[in-house]
Amino acid sequence: MKYEARKKAILILKDGTMFEGKSVGIDGTAVGEICFNTGTTGYQEIFTDPSYYGQLMVTTNAHIGNYGINAEEEESEGIKIAGLVCRNFSFDYSRINAEEDLLTYFKKQNFVAISDIDTRALVRYIRDKGAMNAIISTDTDIESLKKQLESVPSMDGLELASQVSTKEPYTVGNENATYKIAALDIGIKRNILRNLTQRDCYVKVFPYDASFEDLSSFNPDGYFLSNGPGDPTPLENAQKLAKEIVDKDLPLFGICLGHQVIALAHDIPTYKMHNGHRGINHPVKNLLTGKGEITSQNHGFVVDKSAVEAHDVLEMTHEHLNDQSLAGMRVKDKNCFSVQYHPEASPGPHDSSYLFDQFIEMIKASK
């Protein structure tokens, strides 16, 4: 596609700020909470991560699409972000094992993306003003777009796990594996399941509203609460499930949204962050070992650190070194721990993969 031939496109933020760009070639409109990811690679994994459901993604890497698309790098069935805002969109790719170009991938899913936006200026603005709702469109009727934007619900208080969770239970791995894991899908990523199956686990994945009776019917050796989108507060069923598992002292591991659910199950509040953490170079300190980790993160809500520190049952285990927010915790004298970041790291570094090994060791010790 010729650069000059592309349509004008527009981005409007909730506060009325506007940015002009170009369509990548797909007409339409997309709305959601605007956020940015600072990763320099892994765009396909980001686009298909269920934790981003309902969000417009701004990529800070200058080039998007330059290494094409490969089906093995999808973290779920299809694109989950609401729309894409980028600087330079690559219509050609140069990776030998890519299966198709990014535009073809977008067209198959009728996905709206705009490029030629000054993403550096946009990200600086969002950093100052905070995450907010926005709209992108190839329709340039500004008043009409602003009216559409007014109807977009705030992410604060919004339950989205039901939109990305499996409808029916399914299994992953070898049924003759050493360990059986019951996983609650509130937005699970495929690489989490890979990490478990690589550790000789047979995993059964359950819908977001499954009960303890549902999960326990699998007779699992351990339980897992996944990552996912939206505000954790409305997920009362998942909180009840977490409390039952902990009360019975069964092995439980939670990641991201699952981590927040475990906190809420202990009456620890969560809150919406000014911007959130989204990238693959976030420094975290393991307070139990004193070691540092470079981590992959994607969350807009966080557990109240002061409430955990004051709690007589919970213990803070990991701290984010950029803003000293809580990045991990465990339940004292129980087989339960959780982290706010992504040890499956897809994309990202593998410094934190030991957490899956820690989960397996916990299961072994509890048998």
Side-chain angles (χ1 to χ4, degrees), residues 95-278:
R95 183 170 56 153
I96 193 168
N97 66 341
E99 297 165 354
E100 62 185 353
D101 62 84
L102 186 56
L103 180 60
T104 299
Y105 181 73
F106 282 174
K107 283 182 174 179
K108 287 178 180 178
Q109 301 179 64
N110 195 31
F111 178 78
V112 179
I114 65 173
S115 67
D116 294 76
I117 293 286
D118 185 349
T119 50
R120 179 172 291 184
L122 174 57
V123 168
R124 286 174 66 91
Y125 190 83
I126 299 170
R127 276 184 171 144
D128 288 341
K129 303 297 182 180
M132 67 183 81
N133 287 336
I135 187 167
I136 60 174
S137 184
T138 53
D139 176 1
T140 54
D141 183 340
I142 294 172
E143 293 309 312
S144 173
L145 294 175
K146 285 182 176 180
K147 190 172 182 180
Q148 289 184 60
L149 184 53
E150 289 175 2
S151 65
V152 181
S154 169
M155 192 65 73
D156 203 353
L158 194 60
E159 187 279 300
L160 293 176
S162 59
Q163 303 300 307
V164 296
S165 178
T166 182
K167 304 303 180 189
E168 298 292 336
Y170 65 93
T171 57
V172 179
N174 181 353
E175 62 181 342
N176 296 315
T178 304
Y179 311 103
K180 294 171 67 176
I181 307 296
L184 187 73
D185 176 11
I186 46 180
I188 202 163
K189 292 173 65 181
R190 287 175 175 170
N191 205 40
I192 288 175
L193 297 174
R194 291 189 199 103
N195 270 274
L196 291 170
T197 57
Q198 286 167 4
R199 288 165 173 79
D200 203 19
C201 294
Y202 181 49
V203 187
K204 188 166 186 178
V205 183
F206 292 84
Y208 81 103
D209 56 354
S211 66
F212 175 75
E213 288 70 30
D214 293 331
L215 272 67
S216 62
S217 67
F218 184 54
N219 194 27
D221 301 300
Y223 295 80
F224 177 79
L225 301 183
S226 81
N227 62 292
D231 190 332
T233 306
L235 297 175
E236 295 180 359
N237 180 77
Q239 294 165 37
K240 179 176 181 290
L241 170 65
K243 190 174 189 313
E244 289 185 78
I245 296 170
V246 173
D247 286 348
K248 295 178 186 300
D249 198 18
L250 301 170
L252 175 63
F253 179 24
I255 287 177
C256 208
L257 186 62
H259 159 80
Q260 296 162 11
V261 164
I262 291 171
L264 289 165
H266 289 86
D267 298 318
I268 298 294
T270 59
Y271 61 89
K272 192 173 186 300
M273 304 174 76
H274 182 67
N275 270 317
H277 295 151
R278 299 178 181 92

Side-chain angles (χ1 to χ4, degrees), residues 303-341:
V303 173
D304 188 320
K305 176 182 174 180
S306 61
V308 171
E309 290 176 326
H311 204 275
D312 57 353
V313 171
L314 297 179
E315 177 185 10
M316 180 173 171
T317 59
H318 296 77
E319 181 180 55
H320 195 296
L321 294 178
N322 284 351
D323 60 7
Q324 287 68 57
S325 59
L326 186 141
M329 64 184 186
R330 66 180 179 183
V331 182
K332 297 175 185 176
D333 302 320
K334 297 284 187 179
N335 287 302
C336 175
F337 72 99
S338 59
V339 291
Q340 184 60 80
Y341 52 97

Side-chain angles (χ1 to χ4, degrees), residues 2-21:
K2 290 185 178 179
Y3 182 88
E4 297 81 4
R6 290 187 288 137
K7 275 187 178 181
K8 177 182 174 181
I10 194 166
L11 160 68
I12 305 176
L13 302 181
K14 180 72 173 179
D15 65 4
T17 304
M18 290 185 289
F19 290 81
E20 290 188 358

